[in-house]
């Protein structure tokens, strides 16, 4: 993980040095191991490059920007596939060598590598600046064109929160010719270079649909389902392995401390990722399970007095406060996390699982709100804040772990790599809306919706998440968002990934008996596969195969509700606050 800043303008233009200092401070937080700046003048143009480095690859810190006194590369990324990088080598150094020693166009070279990245590259031979993000948008890069009295263009991993910055679109690579004093930005669509590399764009979904007489899967599974589950686990496990291997240990980390942590709710996605990581991390190392819970006054009051129509039990003021204190951090994700921890300890008792209870008092979440809003910008809705708060405090990693005796001891996770289960819902049909689409538009409608989800991954909120998590000098890695895994899942027919007709026993009474677009009722066609629901069915069957019986059955729950970071202020007058509203009021446009 690194921080990038680039600025270009006319030599005689005013440059705001205080703004530059603020940007370097914010981006240096992302890379505490090294910071360096390079200034350059070409014709009438002034260029300024800055990079900070978080050392996560190779046997030494590779100082950035990479340069050979002519070309310059600011690289914030990881090359997991497409370019040979040994355990002692640095991927940024290897990529820079590839760029300066090749006659291939820069976009073509980038289409050959798999991993999250954002970059700025000056190619001396062509007098061009190139910049962009990976095809899934897994790393942040924001841009501010010239405004008012500051006509220079600025690119950065994280901004200072001022207006005018926008996310750099991830579906294109951009270039600036330095022969033009107006330095116009030229885009190159990734679809035009898709023939040159395997990782230019996500593969489109396979379009064939099940036959009208296709029946939902039942136990025992058919050979095609058994084979698909095996293949899926292999692809996902390879992705986890690539993201957990060869992580250097730093002097701040003891010999038996965790190098890998997991954003952990106890849900199926984070549980599968954590358990597969366990299979590739030495048993001498613990794995930190980061579980965050917010003190939410509104939710606490609702828990104690759930209905306005019922008379609350008479309680003394002391008893009322005692009940609130006892429930303060008993949020849904804490409860499922503790339940899943027991399953882990049963399946892998030889592993030290550090369940880090990260409790966030209301006062503390309020105190850090302005910091989090600055980091997440240009994202600026109520929902953005709810999610960013959960990610900020979870990735900070300051909490407690509970000893076998029940004693709570202070603990801070020093793991610099944080695994996340994000992406599974989009790829495997995990949202409630997927079932609703199927009900109204059948398999074709569901297929179209999943294709939209894949197409929109790079416009969702990965840039926001990267800005927030990296402010602690840590790096998020997403095993589900491997381009190879995305391609594999896209090659499967939809009915081998998700089946909305399959419902868990406890869901059957909630499924409408109205006929859907497929001509039969959900209730009439539902089949139980040992109690598993049909959303992300392939994923659930894989979890079951791994022995994660509890996680396999667990329903999806959004992070902001599981951690109770949402709706802490409740309502705005008599109007219910909506997640799409902008901070300060008004809907997002």
């Amino acid at each position: 993980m690194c921080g990038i800043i680039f600025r270009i303008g006319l030599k005689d233009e005013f440059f705001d040095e205080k703004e530059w200092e603020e940007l370097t401070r914010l981006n240096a937080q992302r890379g505490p191991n090294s910071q360096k700046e390079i200034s350059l003048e070409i014709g009438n143009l002034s260029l300024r490059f800055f990079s900070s480095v978080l050392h996560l690859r190779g046997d030494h810190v590779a100082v950035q920007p990479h340069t050979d006194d002519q070309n310059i590369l600011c690289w914030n990324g990881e090359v997991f596939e497409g370019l040979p990088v040994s355990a002692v080598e640095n991927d940024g150094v290897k990529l820079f060598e590839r760029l300066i020693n090749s006659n291939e166009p820069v976009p073509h070279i980038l289409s050959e590598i798999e991993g999250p990245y954002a970059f700025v590259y000056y190619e001396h031979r062509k007098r061009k600046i190139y910049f962009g993000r990976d095809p899934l948008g897994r790393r942040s890069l924001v841009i501010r064109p010239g405004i008012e009295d500051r006509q220079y263009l600025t690119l950065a991993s994280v901004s200072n929160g001022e207006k005018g910055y926008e996310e750099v679109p991830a579906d294109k690579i951009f270039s600036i010719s330095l022969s033009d004093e107006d330095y116009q930005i030229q885009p190159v669509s990734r679809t035009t270079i898709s023939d040159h590399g395997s990782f230019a764009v996500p593969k489109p979904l396979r379009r064939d649909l099940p036959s009208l007489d296709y029946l939902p899967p039942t136990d025992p599974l058919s050979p095609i389902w058994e084979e698909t589950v095996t293949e899926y686990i292999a692809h996902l496990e390879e992705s986890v392995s690539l993201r957990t291997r060869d992580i250097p240990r730093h002097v701040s980390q003891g010999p038996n401390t965790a190098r890998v942590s997991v954003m952990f709710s106890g849900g199926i996605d984070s549980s599968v990722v954590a358990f597969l990581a366990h299979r590739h991390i030495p048993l001498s190392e613990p794995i930190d399970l980061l579980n965050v819970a917010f003190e939410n006054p509104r939710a606490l009051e609702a828990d104690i007095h759930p209905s306005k129509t019922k008379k609350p039990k008479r309680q003394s003021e002391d008893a009322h406060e005692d009940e609130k204190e006892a429930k303060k951090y008993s949020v849904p994700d804490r409860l499922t996390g503790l339940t899943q921890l027991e399953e882990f300890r049963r399946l892998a008792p030889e592993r030290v699982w550090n369940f880090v209870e990260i409790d966030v008092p209301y006062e503390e979440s309020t105190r850090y709100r302005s910091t989090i809003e600055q980091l997440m910008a240009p994202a600026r809705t109520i929902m953005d804040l709810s999610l960013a708060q959960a990610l900020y405090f979870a990735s900070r990693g300051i909490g407690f772990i509970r000893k076998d005796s029940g004693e709570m001891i202070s603990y801070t996770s020093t793991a610099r790599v944080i695994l996340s289960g994000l992406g599974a819902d989009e790829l495997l049909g995990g949202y409630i809306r997927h079932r609703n689409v199927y009900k109204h538009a059948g398999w074709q409608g569901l297929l179209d919706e999943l294709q939209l989800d894949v197409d929109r991954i790079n416009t969702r909120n990965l840039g926001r998440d990267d800005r927030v998590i990296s402010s602690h000098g840590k790096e998020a890695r997403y095993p589900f968002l491997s381009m190879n895994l995305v391609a594999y899942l896209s090659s499967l027919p939809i009915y081998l990934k998700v089946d909305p007709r399959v419902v868990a026993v406890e869901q059957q009474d909630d499924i409408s008996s109205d006929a859907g677009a497929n001509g039969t009722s959900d209730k009439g066609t539902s089949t139980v596969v040992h109690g598993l629901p049909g959303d992300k069915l392939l994923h659930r069957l894989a979890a079951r195969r791994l022995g994660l019986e509890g996680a396999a059955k667990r329903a999806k729950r959004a992070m902001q509700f599981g951690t109770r970071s949402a709706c802490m202020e409740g309502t705005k007058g008599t109007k219910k606050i909506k997640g799409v509203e902008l901070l300060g009021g008004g809907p997002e446009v």
Side-chain angles (χ1 to χ4, degrees):
M1 177 56 62
C2 304
I4 292 173
I5 317 171
F6 170 72
R7 183 176 281 180
I8 181 172
L10 297 175
K11 280 194 290 188
D12 57 358
E13 234 169 27
F14 165 74
F15 279 77
D16 189 332
E17 288 297 330
K18 286 188 176 179
E19 180 192 41
W20 180 263
E21 289 173 7
E22 187 177 14
L23 287 173
T24 56
R25 177 184 65 81
L26 290 165
N27 284 275
Q29 292 174 352
R30 299 168 57 92
N33 299 122
S34 168
Q35 297 89 39
K36 181 182 172 183
E37 182 178 317
I38 296 176
S39 295
L40 191 66
E41 291 186 354
I42 298 176
N44 201 33
L45 295 174
S46 174
L47 288 74
R48 205 165 177 178
F49 303 80
F50 170 87
S51 283
S52 65
V53 175
L54 175 67
H55 178 212
L56 288 174
R57 300 294 291 272
D59 60 359
H60 66 281
V61 176
V63 177
Q64 289 200 49
H66 303 289
T67 183
D68 61 354
D69 295 328
Q70 289 188 318
N71 305 281
I72 300 171
L73 173 65
C74 297
W75 173 251
N76 170 27
E78 303 286 351
V79 178
F80 291 125
E81 297 178 80
L83 185 68
V85 183
S86 74
V88 298
E89 292 178 315
N90 178 271
D91 58 335
V93 171
K94 296 286 286 186
L95 176 62
F96 184 59
E97 291 172 353
R98 175 88 170 83
L99 288 165
I100 63 177
N101 293 317
S102 174
N103 290 320
E104 286 185 74
V106 171
H108 291 184
I109 294 173
L110 291 167
S111 72
E112 298 169 359
I113 63 174
E114 202 304 278
Y117 62 79
F119 77 99
V120 176
Y121 177 58
Y122 167 56
E123 187 178 25
H124 176 72
R125 180 170 57 89
K126 292 187 177 179
R127 294 291 198 274
K128 273 189 176 184
I129 296 289
Y130 294 89
F131 64 92
R133 303 163 67 197
D134 71 82
L136 298 179
R138 291 165 285 186
R139 290 290 176 261
S140 170
L141 191 64
V142 295
I143 183 170
R144 189 188 65 193
I147 56 169
E148 299 174 357
D149 61 334
R150 290 174 287 186
Q151 289 300 308
Y152 46 83
L153 178 147
T154 304
L155 291 161
S157 297
V158 59
S159 76
N160 58 2
E162 288 187 2
K163 290 183 179 179
Y165 283 95
E166 299 174 357
E167 301 268 8
V168 171
D171 60 343
K172 300 176 180 66
I173 297 291
F174 299 88
S175 68
I176 301 173
S177 174
L178 301 185
S179 60
D180 302 324
E181 287 194 355
D182 56 356
Y183 45 89
Q184 292 295 311
I185 298 173
Q186 299 297 326
V188 176
S189 173
R190 289 186 181 275
T191 56
T192 64
I193 58 173
S194 58
D195 292 339
H196 296 277
S198 302
F199 306 115
V201 293
K203 303 298 185 204
L205 269 62
R206 184 168 164 177
R207 303 300 299 177
D208 49 322
L209 301 175
S211 61
L212 292 175
D213 59 354
Y214 172 72
L215 296 175
T218 57
D219 283 316
L221 294 176
S222 65
I224 184 63
W225 269 104
E226 291 284 6
E227 180 182 345
T228 304
V229 170
T230 300
E231 289 178 351
Y232 170 64
I233 292 175
H235 278 85
L236 180 56
E237 186 160 16
E238 174 66 11
S239 181
V240 171
S241 172
L242 289 170
R243 285 155 179 78
T244 54
R245 68 174 58 159
D246 301 328
I247 301 170
R249 186 176 294 284
H250 291 267
V251 292
S252 62
Q253 298 171 306
N256 295 316
T257 55
R259 286 184 290 177
V260 174
S261 62
V262 183
M263 288 281 186
F264 189 70
S265 65
I268 181 174
D269 304 333
S270 61
S271 297
V272 168
V273 166
F275 195 69
L276 289 177
H278 153 70
R279 290 159 63 149
H280 294 275
I281 294 172
L283 285 176
S284 59
E285 297 180 21
I287 295 175
D288 288 349
L289 306 175
L290 307 176
N291 184 276
V292 66
F294 284 79
E295 177 189 9
N296 186 320
R298 182 198 61 80
L300 276 172
E301 199 61 36
D303 276 352
I304 296 169
H305 301 306
S307 172
K308 291 181 180 178
T309 60
K310 291 182 181 178
K311 258 190 171 180
K313 294 178 183 177
R314 294 200 173 190
Q315 283 183 315
S316 69
E317 189 172 327
D318 286 346
H320 179 77
E321 289 304 313
D322 287 346
E323 186 176 358
K324 285 178 69 173
E325 188 64 30
K327 290 187 173 183
K328 188 185 291 186
Y329 299 115
S330 294
V331 303
D333 279 4
R334 177 62 50 80
L335 302 178
T336 54
L338 287 168
T339 300
Q340 188 55 44
L341 176 65
E342 291 307 309
E343 188 166 56
F344 282 169
R345 286 175 171 167
R346 178 177 56 79
L347 293 171
E350 68 281 13
R351 168 74 64 190
V352 174
W353 300 95
N354 285 333
F355 186 80
V356 188
E357 299 185 34
I358 301 168
D359 298 338
V360 186
Y362 178 67
E363 178 276 329
E364 188 173 19
S365 65
T366 302
R367 178 157 40 95
Y368 279 89
R369 175 169 170 163
S370 60
T371 298
I372 296 168
E373 286 185 21
Q374 182 186 57
L375 289 169
M376 72 186 201
R380 60 194 189 281
T381 68
I382 298 290
M383 184 179 293
D384 286 321
L385 178 62
S386 296
L387 293 166
Q389 284 180 313
L391 293 170
Y392 181 84
F393 288 105
S395 57
R396 190 178 66 166
I398 300 175
F400 301 88
I401 55 176
R402 193 185 304 268
K403 299 176 78 172
D404 291 340
S405 63
E407 179 190 358
M408 301 290 285
I409 60 172
S410 297
Y411 183 84
T412 299
S413 174
T414 58
R416 294 188 168 197
V417 170
I418 303 177
L419 300 180
S420 166
L422 192 145
D425 292 309
E426 288 80 2
L427 299 173
L428 289 150
Y431 292 114
I432 292 174
R433 62 178 163 83
H434 291 137
R435 184 185 292 279
N436 292 335
V437 166
Y438 172 81
K439 181 178 177 181
H440 294 100
W443 286 107
Q444 183 63 60
L446 179 56
L447 178 60
D448 293 342
E449 186 74 7
L450 287 175
Q451 182 65 67
L452 274 176
D453 282 336
V454 172
D455 294 342
R456 292 183 299 206
I457 285 174
N458 65 21
T459 65
R460 297 298 288 266
N461 296 303
L462 291 165
R464 175 202 66 201
D465 298 352
D466 173 72
R467 292 189 291 277
V468 171
I469 293 169
S470 299
S471 68
H472 300 299
K474 298 181 179 181
E475 176 174 286
R477 296 183 179 178
Y478 305 99
F480 289 103
L481 295 181
S482 150
M483 290 285 282
N484 269 334
L485 181 61
V486 172
Y488 167 71
L489 289 173
S490 294
S491 73
L492 293 178
I494 187 171
Y495 51 88
L496 288 180
K497 293 183 283 189
V498 55
D499 196 327
R501 301 170 299 176
V502 177
V503 295
V505 174
E506 60 270 20
Q507 291 178 308
Q508 288 187 353
D509 291 337
D510 298 328
I511 302 297
S512 169
S513 59
D514 295 336
N518 57 333
T520 57
S521 71
D522 279 349
K523 196 170 205 176
T525 60
S526 64
T527 302
V528 177
V529 185
H530 277 266
L532 300 185
D535 59 295
K536 297 188 290 194
L537 184 57
L538 173 60
H539 188 41
R540 294 183 183 281
L541 291 168
R544 187 178 72 174
R545 172 85 65 83
L546 293 170
L548 302 173
E549 297 280 352
K553 298 174 183 177
R554 216 157 276 142
K556 175 176 173 55
R557 182 169 52 235
M559 179 191 293
Q560 66 270 33
F561 301 120
T563 64
R564 286 193 174 160
S565 64
C567 303
M568 286 199 247
E569 283 77 28
T571 58
K572 193 164 54 178
T574 57
K575 178 187 173 187
K576 186 176 180 182
I577 294 176
K578 295 182 179 179
V580 295
E581 287 187 33
L582 296 177
L583 294 168
E588 185 175 22
V589 292

